[in-house]
Structures are given as C-alpha cells and as structure tokens.
Amino acid sequence: MTELSESHDDPFAQHLAALAVLDDRGVVVGWNRRAQELLGHPDTAVIGRSALGVLVDPGDLPAVREAAADARRTGGWFGVLNVRHRDGRLVEMGLRAHALWRDGRVREWLLAGALAADVLEWQRDRAVLEGLYRRCPIGLVVHGPDLRLLRVNRAVERFSGVPAADFRGLPTGCFLLPDDARKAVDRVRQVMETRRPLIYSEQFTRLEQDPARERVAMVSSFPMEDPSGRILGVAEMIEDITERHRAQRRLALLDEAGGRIGTTLDVAETARELAEVMVPHLADHASVDLLQPVTRGEELARPLAGPVVRVGTSGIGAQAGPPHPEPVEFAPDTPQARCLTEGRPVLEAVLPPDWFSWFSAEGHRGARAPELGAHSLIVVPVAARGLVLGVMTLWRSRRPDPFEADDLTLAQELAARAAVAIDNARRFTQQQQTALTLQSSLLLREVPDQSAVEVALRYLPASAASGLGGDWFDVIPLSGARVALVVGDVVGRGIHAAATMGRLRTAVHTLASLDLEPDEVLSRLDDLVNLLAAEQEAVGEPPVGEQVVGATCLYAVYDPVSGRCSMARAGHPPPVVTAPDGQVSLLDLPAGPPLGLGGLPFEARDVELAEGSLLCLYTNGLIGERHIDADAGLTKLRAALTRPTDALERTCQAVVDSLVPSRPSDDVALLIARTRMLPPDDVASWCLPLEPASAARARDLTSAKLTEWGLEHLAFSTALIASELVTNVYRYAGGPATLRLIRERCLVCEVGDASHTSPHLRRARTTDEGGRGLFLVAQMTERWGTRYTREGKIVWTEQPLAGMFA
C-alpha cells in the first residue's frame, strides 16, 4: 500500500480511491468500501470471482488484456478503462495497477481507481502547478511565515541570474539592494498581516550583483492558508516589465514633448524647451547648441561645423552649464564636433577615463560637460530639411544605468521633432527681421526741422509670437509754418502689412504736399486703399500670409500762427489733449469709417490749442491690449499726461511704462506733440484792394517789414515776389489780395485771393510781354506752391533766412 499517494486531493489517495486486490490469476481477493460506492458491487459479490467476468464488459476485453500484458511486462500500469457497474452500465475510470511481490515473485496486484473525470482534473492541476514552477514566464516566489524563501520558479532564476535552488531558506529580498529589499519585506509582511492580496503593484529594483541596472517588476501577492485558516506563507507572482515600462515611458515622453516643444516661434525658447523635456526623464543633464547663423534667423546655405551658441540647458543638481551668448567652437575630437560634421548620432554608453580632455581646451567653457560624475553620453544632431542646425548633448551622472540604443533612438526622435520647430522659428525670425528692416526703413527716422511743435515719438513692435504690424506715425512740415501730425495702423501683420504701411505713408506725404484739408486727405487715402484691395482681388486668391487691405488713420494739421488744429480720423482712436493747466480731455472727434470701406464721408474738426498744450496721438496697441479694457487704458493714458510742463521725452516714456507690457501683443505707435505759437512780431499781414497800385504797395510794405526784421538782404527778392503774386491776383483772380510774411526757420511770403484757379508755371516766348512772373518767383525761392482754403487759395513761397545767394 506504500505505492499509493498520500496527497489529500490525489484521487488515488487511500481515503479517496476505489481499491481492489487480485491474485496472479485475476481473481478478486480484496475490495474496499469506496469501490462498492463507485461500482455498486458489495465485497461478497466480487471476492473470489474473476475480475474479467464481474467487472469487464466483453467489448472491452481486448483493451483489458493489452493493459494486463503491459502490467506484467513492466510491473505496473496506468490508464483509463471502462468498468462495469452492478446495474450493467459502464463507468469510465482511471486505473493504476501495482505488482505486490512475495518470495521474489508476483503474488498479487493492487488496483486503485477513481472516476476518469476526477483523475483528469487532478492531472490538469498537477500540470498547472508543474508549469508554474518550470515553464511559466512569470516569476513565482513562495515566502514562509518567517519571511524566508521556500521556493522560486525558473522565471525568477532567469530574472535574477541566481539558481532557483540557492533561494531556499534565504531571507526575503536577500538579492536586492537594501532599500529595495526593505520594500519587498514590507509588502510581504503587509499581505501576511492583513491577509489581503496586493494586485499589480510596481516595484523598481536593483540587484546587488548588478546595481547599475534598474529593473521594474509587476508584483501580485496573496496569502496561503491551510484548510483550518492557518497562514502558511505568501505567494507572489512577479513579472519583469522593465522593457514595457521603458517603452511606456518613452511614449509618455514623446507625448509630453509634443505639448511642450514648439509652443513659441522663438529659436532660443524652443531649444530650452527641448532641453527641459529631456531632464529628468531621459538624462540628468541636457544642453542644446545651435549654429550661430540659426540663432540669428539666417538661412544655412551649406553644412557648417561651427561656431555654435549654447541656447538651451537643463540639469539636476549641477547644471550642464547656463546658456552662453558668445559663440564657441567644439574641439575637433569631441563627440559634438563629430556629430555636427557628420550629421550622425554618437552614443558613449560608458565614457572613457580621459573624456575630460575633450572639453579642457581654453575657450570651450560654453561647450563643457557637467563635472559631477558623468559616466554616459549621447549626442544627436538637431537636423531639419536636410541641414544640421546644431546638436543636443545628454549626460547621465546620478542615474547609474548607462544610455542604451533605445535611449539613442528616443533622443533622435525628440531632436528631430524639435528641429522642425526650431527651423520654423528660425524662418519666422528671418521673416520678422526682414519685415522689421522693411518697416524701419519706411518709418520716420528723424523728426524734421519745424517750428510748430516739439515732438516725442515711440514705436514698440509686437512680440515675435504676435508678429510685426503696420503701425506708423509721421511729422510733415507744411507751408505757412504749419505741421501735419499723422498716426496710422494697417490691418494685418508681417511683411505685407509693413509694405502696405510704406505705400500709405508715401501717399500721405504726397497728399500733404498738396496742402489738402484733413478730411480730403483721408478721402484720397480711402480711394487708394480701395484701389489696393481691387488690385489684390484682380489677381485672385491672395498669397499665403497676405491679409485684406485696410487701415485706420488720424491726420491733424496744426498752425502755430493761429493756434488752430484741424483734425479728421478714419476709424482711429481719438486724440488726447492736455491743456497747459494739466486738464486732460479726450477730443470729441467724429470717428469716420476705417480706410477701405469706401463711399462714406470724413469730417474734420478745428480745435483751438493754447501754447504749451500736449496733443497725444497713438494706435490701438497702446490701449487695446487683451489683458486690459480700452476704457481702463484711456484712464491710465490720461493719468500719464497730467504734467504738461515735464520734459516731453519723460512724459512719453511715462506713458509707455504705464500702458505697454514687456512683450506687447500688438504694435504700439505713440506721438506726443507740445504746441508752440509764433510770436506776433514774426508775422505781418495786409489786405490789399484789387487795383493796379496794389503791386507797388506790396513792394513797399514788404521792404519796410524786412528792414524792420533785419532781413534787408532779402528785401529786393521778396518785394519782387510779393509784387508778382499780387499782380497775378489783379490780372487773373477776384476779390482783395491778402499779403502775409512769416519769419521762422525760413522767410515765408504768402498771397491769398478768392479764386480757386491754380497758377501754372510756363515758359514765355521772346515776343511775349508777360508770362514770366511765376518763372521769376520759382527762380528766386527755395520752395513755392499753392494751397486751397474754403475762401479761395494761397500762393506761398519760402526763402532761407540767409538768402538764396548768400
């Protein structure tokens, strides 16, 4: 009976199996109670009878005789046969036969049987248990109540590199580093004390025999109990998910990089974002070095090996070095130089002992490595559209595990993504610089010499992310000592807006030279903007980046003789005026439609400005920032203009400091003018009747006044000019003539009449008695022209105070 299993769940165990004993002739000599329960035959019905006659169906005799022959040949047998029940039905049973030896020969046979279904179930359970220990790819560790290892399977052997037999009797966590072992012990003790399983807990581990390599295990723990509920230990299923975890971490890093890299169109900011993404997920230190032309937004015509500028760094503890604005050259034998020259990545999994010599050359401080125990290095090219823009260097110093090939692949992918963003930022920088250069060449560079106003100007371009706009201002000297003050804002951004601004500014200068009224100037500008829009529509779809043509504008003309300012605006913010006593007001000026709508009128309004008043013109970028309300912006603007006697530059800067952020989202154009008045003694005016003697009277009055002003050297030429112009009024115009002399930066002589007919310069023939008056006027003056008023026209001339022929 010793051949039978004693396992409590083994169907062939003595307390579970149906047992029968046969002699060497096949006669039943023993029969237990379990056999009677399964087959229905009491012992009295079978003992002493042949087993073949009682228990075997005739149809199964061949199979039974074959099994018996195998048993005699080998001394035992195991298999499945049909056994006849007392009621005649056949019961499929698993049978195990053992020979019982006496006196050196077989005397009896012990048959143990169980239902075939129970046997198969038990065999499957045994196969599963055997598979867990020998074939299962997931580790199995059995801990005893004393926190010592009872058994591990072969998967743990492969995971740890330690033979499975060596684990028996060792303390839990014996092959792990102390910190990791302590976590393992705490986990097993928790399961043992709470009797609750822990499912899918991740543990980062390092083995004592390989401390540089970090592994990640997925651990599920559950308690083991006997039928009475006594704790027998804790079993743990341990799966090595190191590669899966690294793959997930790489995917997460790629996903994070997609949201963090390229958030702006700034080259340096994008490089900094790339470096920061790398730390600490992939490296302990990271630096991004770009070729110097790339940082300036320049196009790379050919591959370059330097110089480079370190524009992005990030690190744990000791940094990889702060950004260096000064360009440096990599030493030829450094990994960075090789990567930059060849355009291929470099992996130094374990740095050589003399790696510090790569960065010891004088003048390479900007390219130095972190000095805190670096042991592994990756250098990858930052390349886009076939050209290397720079290199990214990754170091490991705190993490003991070296870089691997998968880390290099990930670094290349991240660098390639960032390179596209950096190249886009470079191209945007190039476009911005081109637009800024174009705009700067088109904007007012120096305030022209004039006597009407003192001017302070500010132009603040929008941040690179917002793009360059089309704001402009202008100060245009006009005839009669007057001055035109202009502020405008073109719709859109970029080169197109800057070019449109240049065309409009040129048009304003041309219209100003015609001495038109402000509302007439805006009407003509409106026609021009409509013409530009029509030209754009005529060629079909506008080019990429080109916007609809449109603009706003404010045009003001100030006369220092009368103190009157005439203004009109086309959809532009209204001007702000500060009186000499500090009272600030927003002028109620008709808004007018923006330029480009067409068909709507503009209205001018005249305002009297006392000497010393401040007139503030601006674009909507000053008060229309997205983070502030326009009314709040106007309130701040008025508050900054309450001190009209302060230096104008100080006042202008105070406005900027109060309203403009460090990175404005829109262009800001600001013009502040302090009005002046010409002294009454510098202006003389007479009204002359329409009669022949008026020409002589004009000569006398002019000569006398110039003598009084100490300008006798201009008396003859000015008297001749005045007489010629008054004669033209008498001959070709109507109404009285008005003669006015103005002494300022030049000598101005004006003659006005009630006619709107403009005089024309013509070449007289030798036989003509007249027609040479305007020719003489043109020859004797520096400038001359005609301007129209509501009452008629004025012909004006200008002569330098030193005289034309001094």
Side-chain angles (χ1 to χ4, degrees):
M1 304 296 286
T2 57
E3 299 290 336
L4 296 179
S5 172
E6 297 299 327
S7 173
H8 73 279
D9 58 349
D10 186 350
F12 292 109
Q14 292 186 32
H15 65 287
L16 295 178
L19 299 178
V21 179
L22 308 181
D23 63 13
D24 57 353
R25 295 171 299 154
V27 175
V28 179
V29 296
W31 189 262
N32 75 347
R33 184 180 300 275
R34 181 58 178 164
Q36 181 177 339
E37 292 173 355
L38 289 178
L39 298 175
H41 299 285
D43 54 357
T44 57
V46 293
I47 292 178
R49 300 178 63 183
S50 170
L52 291 178
V54 179
L55 301 176
V56 179
D57 185 82
D60 294 321
L61 283 176
V64 171
R65 288 193 176 98
E66 182 180 352
D70 289 341
R72 290 190 183 94
R73 185 171 57 255
T74 61
W77 182 84
F78 172 76
V80 177
L81 290 173
N82 290 324
V83 180
R84 186 164 56 192
H85 194 273
R86 182 180 182 182
D87 60 10
R89 58 187 172 88
L90 298 179
V91 179
E92 188 178 33
M93 295 186 67
L95 298 174
R96 182 179 292 173
H98 295 283
L100 300 178
W101 295 77
R102 291 179 185 175
D103 300 330
R105 62 189 183 88
V106 176
R107 291 294 186 182
E108 293 175 337
W109 293 87
L110 175 64
L111 297 181
L115 294 177
D118 294 340
V119 173
L120 291 175
E121 181 178 356
W122 175 74
Q123 286 181 321
R124 282 194 296 266
D125 291 345
R126 289 292 298 271
V128 169
L129 186 61
E130 182 72 11
L132 285 175
Y133 280 106
R134 296 183 179 278
R135 300 180 181 85
C136 180
I138 298 176
L140 175 63
V141 179
V142 181
H143 306 268
D146 58 352
L147 296 179
R148 289 187 175 275
L149 300 178
L150 300 178
R151 189 175 180 182
V152 301
N153 69 350
R154 290 181 179 177
V156 175
E157 180 180 282
R158 291 191 296 270
F159 177 75
S160 63
V162 179
D166 294 349
F167 281 91
R168 189 181 301 273
L170 295 177
T172 297
C174 55
F175 290 100
L176 303 178
L177 291 181
D179 287 344
D180 297 334
R182 192 161 35 251
K183 294 176 183 177
V185 170
D186 292 343
R187 183 180 63 247
V188 173
R189 182 179 288 116
Q190 177 185 348
V191 173
M192 199 174 299
E193 292 175 353
T194 63
R195 300 195 178 192
R196 293 180 179 177
L198 289 179
I199 307 299
Y200 297 141
S201 62
E202 284 189 4
Q203 180 173 352
F204 294 82
T205 62
R206 287 188 173 90
L207 301 179
E208 284 185 335
Q209 64 185 27
D210 189 12
R213 183 183 179 191
E214 183 182 60
R215 293 171 169 84
V216 185
M218 182 74 76
V219 182
S220 294
S221 310
F222 58 92
M224 299 184 301
E225 301 176 351
D226 64 9
S228 66
R230 182 169 57 92
I231 286 289
L232 299 178
V234 173
E236 290 189 316
M237 305 296 292
I238 302 176
E239 182 181 2
D240 183 2
I241 61 169
T242 303
E243 294 304 321
R244 185 199 313 168
H245 185 270
R246 290 180 178 177
Q248 290 174 344
R249 188 170 58 186
R250 294 183 184 110
L251 289 175
L253 185 57
L254 285 171
D255 182 66
E256 180 183 357
R260 290 180 57 184
I261 298 176
T263 60
T264 69
L265 287 172
D266 182 271
V267 172
E269 179 67 16
T270 304
R272 184 185 64 80
E273 292 169 345
L274 173 61
E276 290 181 348
V277 164
M278 295 296 171
V279 178
H281 305 292
L282 187 60
D284 296 326
H285 311 275
S287 62
V288 179
D289 302 284
L290 298 180
L291 291 168
Q292 188 180 22
V294 175
T295 63
R296 297 194 296 248
E298 299 174 4
E299 192 78 38
L300 293 178
R302 56 184 177 83
L304 298 175
V308 298
V309 178
R310 175 155 293 177
V311 290
T313 62
S314 183
I316 302 174
Q319 296 292 321
H324 288 264
E326 299 82 11
V328 297
E329 295 276 358
F330 287 120
D333 57 342
T334 61
Q336 287 87 345
R338 300 200 309 269
C339 178
L340 198 61
T341 303
E342 301 172 6
R344 291 183 294 187
V346 176
L347 170 61
E348 295 282 351
V350 179
L351 290 173
D354 61 343
W355 67 268
F356 277 101
S357 63
W358 293 341
F359 305 96
S360 60
E362 184 64 29
H364 295 282
R365 288 189 299 274
R368 293 187 66 182
E371 299 176 358
L372 189 61
H375 61 83
S376 191
L377 166 73
I378 281 179
V379 183
V380 295
V382 180
R385 300 177 176 94
L387 287 174
V388 177
L389 309 178
V391 295
M392 177 177 68
T393 307
L394 305 178
W395 305 85
R396 280 186 179 171
S397 57
R398 291 195 171 192
R399 295 174 59 173
D401 50 319
F403 286 117
E404 300 176 348
D406 288 341
D407 297 322
L408 179 64
T409 302
L410 177 61
Q412 286 181 275
E413 174 65 22
L414 292 172
R417 292 188 181 190
V420 175
I422 289 174
D423 194 50
N424 289 338
R426 179 198 62 77
R427 293 182 173 212
F428 178 77
T429 300
Q430 182 184 44
Q431 183 186 41
Q432 285 291 99
Q433 290 175 345
T434 302
L436 186 59
T437 301
L438 174 62
Q439 188 182 51
S440 299
S441 67
L442 297 175
L443 281 172
L444 177 66
R445 295 188 176 185
E446 184 178 354
V447 178
D449 188 21
Q450 44 81 36
S451 306
V453 293
E454 176 190 357
V455 176
L457 304 168
R458 290 290 188 279
Y459 174 75
L460 302 171
S463 63
S466 301
L468 202 64
D471 295 18
W472 90 93
F473 46 58
D474 224 329
V475 179
I476 308 172
L478 302 177
S479 62
R482 298 169 308 134
V483 66
L485 305 175
V486 190
V487 172
D489 185 359
V490 174
V491 173
R493 301 186 182 280
I495 294 178
H496 175 72
T500 303
M501 177 271 288
R503 299 172 78 173
L504 293 182
R505 181 169 179 253
T506 301
V508 170
H509 269 263
T510 302
L511 296 173
S513 67
L514 298 178
D515 276 318
L516 300 176
E517 293 294 325
D519 54 342
E520 184 64 22
V521 170
L522 294 182
S523 295
R524 301 286 181 90
L525 277 180
D526 187 50
D527 294 340
L528 174 61
V529 171
N530 285 323
L531 178 61
L532 295 177
E535 290 178 354
Q536 187 183 81
E537 293 177 1
V539 297
E541 287 293 326
V544 176
E546 197 169 291
Q547 300 92 6
V548 177
V549 179
T552 65
C553 184
L554 191 150
Y555 186 88
V557 176
Y558 174 68
D559 186 349
V561 176
S562 64
R564 182 179 294 109
C565 184
S566 180
M567 291 177 279
R569 62 187 179 119
H572 203 80
V576 177
V577 173
T578 303
D581 60 1
Q583 187 69 31
V584 183
S585 61
L586 192 67
L587 288 185
D588 184 17
L589 189 65
L595 300 176
L597 293 184
L600 298 174
F602 300 94
E603 183 179 349
R605 181 162 295 176
D606 293 344
V607 179
E608 297 288 341
L609 298 179
E611 185 173 13
S613 298
L614 297 184
L615 179 62
C616 179
L617 312 182
Y618 53 91
T619 56
N620 61 357
L622 184 69
I623 62 170
E625 278 286 330
R626 281 174 285 186
H627 69 283
I628 60 174
D629 180 68
D631 291 337
L634 287 173
T635 300
K636 289 184 176 181
L637 177 59
R638 286 196 290 264
L641 295 173
T642 56
R643 302 171 64 91
T645 59
D646 285 357
L648 204 57
E649 286 294 329
R650 182 186 303 171
T651 300
C652 195
Q653 189 59 43
V655 172
V656 171
D657 294 341
S658 176
L659 286 147
V660 182
S662 58
R663 297 172 65 89
S665 61
D666 194 4
D667 286 20
V668 175
L670 175 64
L671 185 156
I672 301 179
R674 178 181 284 126
T675 60
R676 297 169 177 160
M677 294 286 289
L678 291 182
D681 292 342
D682 288 342
V683 180
S685 181
W686 303 274
C687 184
L688 303 176
L690 193 62
E691 58 185 31
S694 293
R697 174 69 175 158
R699 286 195 298 271
D700 295 340
L701 293 172
T702 300
S703 297
K705 179 53 70 173
L706 293 184
T707 300
E708 177 185 338
W709 284 346
L711 299 175
E712 295 88 347
H713 58 286
L714 294 176
F716 174 77
S717 60
T718 307
L720 179 59
I721 291 169
S723 66
E724 287 296 333
L725 294 179
V726 170
T727 299
N728 282 344
V729 173
Y730 172 73
R731 296 182 61 182
Y732 305 111
T738 301
L739 173 63
R740 186 168 75 163
L741 299 177
I742 302 174
R743 179 181 61 176
E744 44 128 10
R745 58 187 176 86
C746 62
L747 178 63
V748 178
C749 176
E750 298 180 342
V751 174
D753 59 62
S755 172
H756 287 84
T757 303
S758 176
H760 296 284
L761 181 66
R762 66 184 182 88
R763 184 177 297 277
R765 292 173 295 184
T766 55
T767 57
D768 291 343
E769 294 183 0
R772 299 178 178 83
L774 285 181
F775 178 78
L776 292 174
V777 169
Q779 295 299 311
M780 301 180 71
T781 60
E782 186 176 51
R783 292 199 312 153
W784 75 280
T786 303
R787 72 173 180 269
Y788 295 92
T789 66
R790 295 180 180 86
E791 296 79 17
K793 70 174 183 296
I794 296 175
V795 180
W796 55 269
T797 65
E798 291 181 0
Q799 301 172 80
L801 295 180
M804 286 284 291
F805 307 104

